């Protein structure tokens, strides 16, 4: 049977860009139903738009139905292309406004849990300065796991992220901001020494997707483990007694008026420091608003 080569994608029009925006919203939401509220459209209308886009592009973008929603290989490529197209239009809009000394648009930032409680994190003061300098910019701030924040920057869901992930990805730029010192804590009402941890009766709390504490758990040789999502979950277990876990020193000090935690005696060798950085994608130029926020965060003198 003779192979028929697929027809090339036609030149895109303004109507095609609108369809690509709809497709992007559906893909990022994970389905048609999930995208209804964001798009302000009924499911049947969204479905017609996706079918129209597939017809224009000549290939199926996704599987949708009772079994769920899943992008095709072509759909994954089309999603990246639609993100790039939206970014390009967004950048044109920003630069034209910048020519009139106006900063506008939306700036999406992701931050790790409890950055606000770190006295060395200047984000709150920086946002106040940013708001005064760019009142027309809409700020969108989300809290996420360190690994998820990095992925969101790579997938262009975020312009910037503040995370404690190690600087190992060559596709990202890391600018150091501040550090956190983690120590091994337990409830102050039931203090423990390091030698007593291995006798049983105590569980070590590790955080979801936190390889650092999971590696330390193996070194501590504590048989019983518990899993927590976020620093507050770790602290909640420790306060109840019978658990030990790693928390930032500044976070424990913030809790002192309400809950008393103490470092495990003899566990000083297990302290560790996490470097927090401002993370952006090298291949995606920041909009003017992102460049301003990055400058304010990394150069305190720039605001004076």
């Amino acid at each position: 049977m003779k192979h028929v080569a697929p027809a090339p994608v036609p030149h895109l029009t303004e109507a095609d860009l609108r369809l690509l925006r709809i497709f992007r919203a559906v893909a990022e939401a994970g389905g048609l139903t999930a995208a209804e509220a964001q798009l302000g459209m009924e499911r049947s209308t969204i479905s017609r738009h996706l079918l129209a886009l597939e017809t224009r592009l000549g290939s199926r973008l996704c599987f949708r139905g009772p079994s769920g929603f899943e992008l095709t290989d072509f759909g994954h490529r089309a999603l990246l292309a639609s993100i790039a197209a939206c970014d390009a239009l967004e950048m044109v809009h920003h630069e034209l406004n910048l020519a009139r000394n106006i900063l506008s648009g939306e700036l999406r930032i992701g931050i790790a849990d409890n950055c606000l409680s770190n006295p060395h994190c200047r984000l709150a003061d920086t946002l106040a300065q940013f708001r005064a300098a760019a009142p027309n910019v809409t700020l969108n701030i989300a809290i996420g796991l360190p690994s998820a924040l990095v992925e969101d920057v790579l997938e262009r869901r975020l312009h910037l992220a503040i995370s404690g992930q190690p600087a190992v990805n060559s596709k990202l730029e890391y600018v150091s901001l501040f550090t956190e010192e983690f120590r091994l804590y337990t409830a102050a009402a039931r203090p423990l020494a390091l030698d007593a941890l291995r006798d049983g009766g105590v569980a070590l709390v590790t955080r979801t997707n936190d390889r650092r504490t999971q590696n330390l758990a193996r070194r501590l040789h504590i048989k019983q483990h518990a899993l927590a999502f976020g620093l507050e979950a770790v602290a909640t277990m420790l306060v109840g007694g019978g658990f030990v876990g790693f928390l930032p020193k500044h976070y424990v000090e913030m809790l002192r008026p309400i809950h008393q935690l103490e470092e495990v005696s003899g566990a000083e060798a297990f302290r560790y420091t996490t470097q927090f950085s401002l993370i952006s994608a090298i291949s995606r130029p920041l909009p003017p608003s992102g460049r301003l926020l990055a400058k304010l965060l990394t150069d305190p003198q720039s605001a004076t």
Side-chain angles (χ1 to χ4, degrees), residues 210-229:
D210 184 7
R211 293 182 180 177
R212 190 76 171 267
T213 57
Q214 291 166 2
N215 290 335
L216 287 171
R218 288 190 285 270
R219 288 176 52 196
L220 285 164
H221 301 294
I222 299 175
K223 296 180 181 179
Q224 297 184 47
H225 289 182
L227 193 62
F229 184 93

Side-chain angles (χ1 to χ4, degrees), residues 71-304:
L71 292 177
T72 63
D73 290 341
F74 180 77
H76 282 289
R77 297 291 293 273
L79 175 59
L80 293 177
S82 65
I83 292 173
C86 291
D87 285 349
L89 288 174
E90 180 185 48
M91 188 61 69
V92 170
H93 180 258
H94 288 321
E95 294 297 340
L96 290 176
N97 272 328
L98 187 61
R100 301 166 59 209
N101 294 318
I102 298 173
L103 291 177
S104 64
E106 182 184 38
L107 184 62
R108 297 184 298 277
I109 309 163
I111 59 177
D113 190 20
N114 282 289
C115 280
L116 185 62
S117 60
N118 190 319
H120 301 295
C121 177
R122 299 182 52 257
L123 181 60
D125 291 340
T126 297
L127 290 179
Q129 297 165 359
F130 178 85
R131 179 65 179 159
N136 295 315
V137 174
T138 300
L139 282 171
N140 184 330
I141 298 180
I143 303 293
L145 287 172
S147 57
L149 293 175
V150 167
E151 181 179 349
D152 285 342
V153 171
L154 288 170
E155 296 295 328
R156 302 192 177 207
R157 291 185 288 269
L158 294 173
H159 293 103
L160 292 164
I162 298 176
S163 174
Q165 282 289 94
V168 296
N169 194 312
S170 61
K171 296 180 180 180
L172 298 172
E173 180 180 4
Y174 301 80
V175 180
S176 298
L177 294 178
F178 59 91
T179 60
E180 285 186 350
E181 182 186 47
F182 282 75
R183 299 183 179 185
L184 186 64
Y185 288 97
T186 185
R190 303 171 188 176
L192 291 169
L194 183 61
D195 293 340
L197 299 183
R198 303 178 181 93
D199 295 338
V202 177
L204 173 66
V205 183
T206 58
R207 282 186 294 146
T208 306
N209 295 334
D210 184 7
R211 293 182 180 177
R212 190 76 171 267
T213 57
Q214 291 166 2
N215 290 335
L216 287 171
R218 288 190 285 270
R219 288 176 52 196
L220 285 164
H221 301 294
I222 299 175
K223 296 180 181 179
Q224 297 184 47
H225 289 182
L227 193 62
F229 184 93
L231 296 180
E232 187 169 347
V234 176
T236 300
M237 291 185 180
L238 299 191
V239 168
F243 294 95
V244 295
F246 290 93
L247 287 172
K249 181 184 176 211
H250 72 84
Y251 183 74
V252 171
E253 292 174 349
M254 182 191 70
L255 291 176
R256 284 199 190 284
I258 307 173
H259 300 293
Q260 300 291 316
L261 297 173
E262 296 292 341
E263 185 176 10
V264 172
S265 176
E268 292 80 7
F270 290 91
R271 295 175 181 175
Y272 67 91
T273 299
T274 296
Q275 174 69 57
F276 278 73
S277 302
L278 182 65
I279 302 174
S280 59
I282 294 174
S283 64
R284 183 192 191 189
L286 288 173
S289 57
R291 298 198 296 268
L292 172 62
L293 183 68
K295 184 177 181 181
L296 292 173
L297 265 176
T298 58
D299 181 13
Q301 303 302 319
S302 63
T304 61

Side-chain angles (χ1 to χ4, degrees), residues 9-27:
V9 172
H11 289 292
L12 299 182
T13 65
E14 186 175 342
D16 294 324
L17 291 176
R18 179 173 179 270
L19 294 176
L20 283 170
R21 290 193 191 96
I22 294 172
F23 165 64
R24 176 185 179 182
V26 172

